[in-house]
Amino acid sequence: MLFFRKPAAITEEYAALRQDLINSREEFERALSNFEQAVDPDMIDCYIYALNAASLRYKFLLNLAKEAGI
């Protein structure tokens, strides 16, 4: 639980979570850009999976941030 950790550790965890959120959003934006430019059906499928994975990861991290009160 976060209540038993030192304040510095909490700050580092918040910073790490924030950076993960930023990276996840950028990953989603890259996948979306690649999807929009894809013409090969196999690559379109690949980018659909990448979009779904990035979206789910972002939602998961966003929920963690909300629970932590960030």
Side-chain angles (χ1 to χ4, degrees):
M1 293 186 72
L2 293 175
F3 301 114
F4 299 109
R5 295 189 181 143
K6 297 178 183 177
I10 293 173
T11 303
E12 290 174 9
E13 288 179 5
Y14 289 169
L17 181 56
R18 184 175 183 274
Q19 189 59 47
D20 284 344
L21 276 165
I22 291 168
N23 292 343
S24 180
R25 186 182 66 215
E26 290 172 353
E27 179 183 344
F28 179 82
E29 290 171 357
R30 278 192 303 272
L32 182 60
S33 175
N34 288 335
F35 172 76
E36 290 172 345
Q37 296 175 14
V39 291
D40 182 51
D42 290 333
M43 293 308 297
I44 292 171
D45 289 343
C46 176
Y47 293 128
I48 288 172
Y49 286 115
L51 279 168
N52 287 334
S55 176
L56 290 173
R57 177 172 168 74
Y58 185 74
K59 287 178 186 179
F60 172 76
L61 293 172
L62 195 58
N63 284 333
L64 284 179
K66 286 180 182 179
E67 288 175 5
I70 297 176

